[in-house]
Amino acid sequence: MASGVLNRPIPLDSLTVNAIVSAPLIAIDDNEEPVILEALPVMAWWVRGILLIITVCLTAVFAVACWIRPYDTDGEIRETYPELGLPPCTFKYVTGLPCPSCGMTHSFVFLIHGDVKNSFLSRLSNPVGTLLASFCLAMIPWNLGSVVLRRPLFIRSIEGALAKFIGVLMTVLLLRWFIVMGCLLWEKYH
């Protein structure tokens, strides 16, 4: 064998592709038919660590929501939660109009206290906040299961699922805000 043969690059044909791939995973189903299986990659340690941190943060958010009292001593819904130490909404203070996320805290608090009706329908709550709170509640066991099994449960890609969820959430949040703004403008001018 000539020494120049090993140092020469292999030419790639433009009509074909040369690739080194692993053999497909094959299983046999009940009908003795071969089925190609797809391998799910194991999540890296740092991804599992981030999922655990997210789980701790979500648990803290729900613990605070559990600590907040949604009703005053007369049983009326409280307008604000001063125990959080948050300033009033800057958007509402400057414009006099509700911001797109107005009512999210009320939705979380009502849902955690088991008041699903007020979480969706109270004049102070935001139904999108109820959907977000429900999603976050479901994420806690999902995160723990994914960490234990070292792969994402029920989905192929965390990034893809998260991107879709954020897109849907923002669309619904803004759609709801446009409806609220339209109703406020309708009341003001009619």
Side-chain angles (χ1 to χ4, degrees):
M1 184 178 338
S3 63
V5 172
L6 294 177
N7 294 334
R8 208 169 19 134
I10 300 172
L12 295 178
D13 187 298
S14 62
L15 300 177
T16 62
V17 176
N18 297 326
I20 299 172
V21 295
S22 60
L25 300 173
I26 299 179
I28 305 295
D29 67 3
D30 294 338
N31 300 331
E32 297 295 324
E33 297 285 327
V35 177
I36 296 178
L37 304 174
E38 294 184 36
L40 291 175
V42 174
M43 287 191 301
W45 65 268
W46 62 270
V47 175
R48 295 190 313 271
I50 290 173
L51 287 178
L52 285 176
I53 291 169
I54 291 170
T55 301
V56 169
C57 292
L58 287 175
T59 304
V61 165
F62 289 116
V64 169
C66 197
W67 170 67
I68 294 173
R69 294 176 294 109
Y71 308 101
D72 61 17
T73 54
D74 300 331
E76 296 295 318
I77 296 173
R78 295 172 59 200
E79 294 281 330
T80 185
Y81 304 120
E83 60 266 34
L84 290 177
L86 299 173
C89 176
T90 304
F91 186 89
K92 190 169 186 176
Y93 179 76
V94 171
T95 65
L97 300 170
C99 71
S101 64
C102 243
M104 289 274 200
T105 305
H106 280 74
S107 295
F108 269 69
V109 171
F110 285 135
L111 188 66
I112 286 300
H113 284 272
D115 191 351
V116 179
K117 180 182 174 189
N118 275 330
S119 182
F120 270 108
L121 302 175
S122 168
R123 66 178 177 79
L124 295 173
S125 64
N126 184 337
V128 180
T130 304
L131 298 175
L132 179 61
S134 301
F135 175 79
C136 290
L137 275 172
M139 268 190 70
I140 293 172
W142 183 88
N143 284 353
L144 294 174
S146 294
V147 166
V148 169
L149 295 176
R150 300 175 63 180
R151 64 176 182 79
L153 296 176
F154 314 119
I155 59 172
R156 293 176 189 241
S157 164
I158 293 174
E159 298 87 358
L162 188 60
K164 288 175 187 170
F165 173 75
I166 290 172
V168 168
L169 180 73
M170 295 307 295
T171 301
V172 172
L173 186 68
L174 291 173
L175 180 64
R176 180 225 171 241
W177 186 58
F178 290 137
I179 291 169
V180 167
M181 296 303 291
C183 290
L184 289 174
L185 290 172
W186 180 265
E187 287 176 8
K188 184 176 181 177
Y189 295 110
H190 286 91

